[in-house]
Amino acid sequence: MSLVEHKKSSHNEQMTLRDLLQGRLSFLGIEAIIRPEGLRKVLIRPHVKCRRSIVVSHLAQDAIVILSPGAQEKFLTSDEPVRQAFIGNLALCKTAFVVLAQTMTYPASLRSKLGHWPIPAAVSTLHENLLESRFKAIICEKIRKCVTVHGVAMEAEGRGLLVRGASGIGKTTTLLQATREGYVWIADDRVVVRRNHRNQLVVSGQKKIRDYFHTKEDGIMAVNRLVHASQIKKETQLAFVIDVVRTAAGDGTCRLDETEIMETRLPLIQMHIPQTGYFNKNLLSKAIQKICEVD
């Protein structure tokens, strides 16, 4: 099963708001956008700002502004001059997008005020904190060309492997066991996936914590205390993904599927283990063997 590369883009390619949101509306809990003509805006430095009040303050250009339910309530109950000042400030600061969190209703008063300015808006069912996190993840992926994943990464027989699963399911312990069998340590806990100069997906550790790992038994430790330097690398090309999930009927069986990371399809092994079970080296070997069967 081969890896399908995303079309390489030019460093000079402009990113519009439409490009940023393409294929991500359901992920953001958004069904429709008001004033979609504003999606043509070219973004220079998009960033996310969550507002829990409607005070007038400076915003850097190209902000994606999320209004919490509290901010929405304050807007609706404020005097007209306060409303006008707040919306005028959004326009003056060249706000890129306004999203109302935890609602399915777009107030007529806000619609009429924003209608005087070319600022697209939307409502989302998501909590403002989750919405902020997801917008930041999209910006990181589409602008900075990287994503951060909770999991562990290793190199097995020259191929990069990402293991995802809930905290405490055995990922770090299995990674340590695997390095004793000749596998190579890449990252624990926070795995950064990005594109290299050849447009390949590569995995590495998050810079601040890549030299350390954490287990419930030992706490935080330096990787080189337990793993020989020859078994540690900073990065490797990502070849496949393993998802470890606890289920009532889990018996260690694995099923071959596909997943997509940064618009690149990758072979995926879905491994179901018992509710009280843990991922281990034997299950890791079983998953790798499953991948090898279809290569």
Side-chain angles (χ1 to χ4, degrees):
M1 186 175 297
S2 61
L3 182 141
V4 180
E5 296 290 356
H6 171 63
K7 183 179 179 182
K8 190 172 183 178
S9 59
S10 167
H11 290 292
N12 298 320
E13 183 180 355
Q14 294 181 325
M15 174 70 70
T16 66
L17 184 57
R18 183 185 300 277
D19 296 329
L20 187 70
L21 298 176
Q22 183 69 39
R24 297 296 189 273
L25 292 186
S26 60
F27 178 65
L28 295 167
I30 295 172
E31 291 188 359
I33 295 176
I34 297 98
R35 297 189 65 82
E37 62 273 16
L39 296 178
R40 295 192 293 269
K41 175 181 172 63
V42 175
L43 303 174
I44 306 302
R45 193 170 296 173
H47 59 286
V48 188
K49 189 70 176 180
C50 188
R51 286 288 195 219
R52 293 177 173 82
S53 67
I54 58 169
V55 296
V56 174
S57 62
H58 176 73
L59 286 171
Q61 182 178 337
D62 292 342
I64 295 171
V65 176
I66 300 169
L67 299 183
S68 71
Q72 297 168 44
E73 179 64 24
K74 289 174 183 177
F75 180 87
L76 295 175
T77 57
S78 293
D79 295 334
E80 186 63 19
V82 175
R83 296 187 191 185
Q84 290 181 350
F86 179 68
I87 298 299
N89 181 65
L90 294 180
L92 182 64
C93 295
K94 298 182 179 179
T95 298
F97 194 31
V98 175
V99 184
L100 280 62
Q102 295 190 73
T103 184
M104 298 180 66
T105 305
Y106 191 73
S109 57
L110 186 55
R111 181 192 291 265
S112 64
K113 291 289 183 295
L114 278 176
H116 295 294
W117 308 98
I119 303 175
V123 297
S124 171
T125 56
L126 303 184
H127 188 279
E128 61 268 24
N129 292 343
L130 178 58
L131 200 52
E132 182 178 17
S133 175
R134 291 191 173 187
F135 266 115
K136 287 181 177 179
I138 292 170
I139 290 171
C140 191
E141 174 185 345
K142 293 200 174 185
I143 303 293
R144 300 170 191 165
K145 305 299 182 186
C146 70
V147 295
T148 301
V149 181
H150 173 67
V152 302
M154 67 189 81
E155 188 178 87
E157 299 178 3
R159 299 188 300 177
L161 163 64
L162 169 64
V163 180
R164 303 182 298 199
S167 296
I169 208 166
K171 301 185 300 297
T172 301
T173 301
T174 300
L175 176 56
L176 286 168
Q177 293 172 342
T179 58
R180 299 187 187 107
E181 301 293 327
Y183 291 28
V184 177
W185 178 290
I186 303 295
D188 176 55
D189 191 44
R190 306 290 286 175
V191 181
V192 178
V193 186
R194 62 174 178 82
R195 292 190 179 280
N196 63 14
H197 65 282
R198 296 188 181 91
N199 205 37
Q200 301 165 327
L201 290 187
V202 295
V203 287
S204 60
Q206 199 170 56
K207 188 174 182 180
K208 291 183 179 180
I209 63 171
R210 65 187 177 196
D211 295 327
Y212 302 91
F213 70 93
H214 176 270
T215 64
K216 185 177 180 180
E217 296 78 15
D218 302 314
I220 299 174
M221 294 183 64
V223 176
N224 59 15
R225 286 191 59 185
L226 292 182
V227 181
H228 192 272
S230 63
Q231 297 302 117
I232 302 172
K233 286 178 66 173
K234 287 187 176 181
E235 64 178 40
T236 189
Q237 184 179 348
L238 181 58
F240 58 94
V241 179
I242 298 174
D243 278 347
V244 184
V245 182
R246 285 186 173 127
T247 63
D251 57 0
T253 58
C254 51
R255 182 168 65 87
L256 184 64
D257 202 342
E258 281 190 340
T259 189
E260 186 174 293
I261 299 178
M262 295 182 66
E263 300 180 332
T264 296
R265 293 196 301 276
L266 294 162
L268 167 73
I269 290 293
Q270 293 184 349
M271 176 156 285
H272 296 272
I273 63 175
Q275 294 280 15
T276 57
Y278 292 91
F279 189 55
N280 56 45
K281 186 172 64 68
N282 291 333
L283 293 175
L284 171 64
S285 299
K286 186 176 181 179
I288 293 175
Q289 183 179 357
K290 185 72 172 180
I291 289 286
C292 292
E293 289 174 0
V294 295
D295 273 356

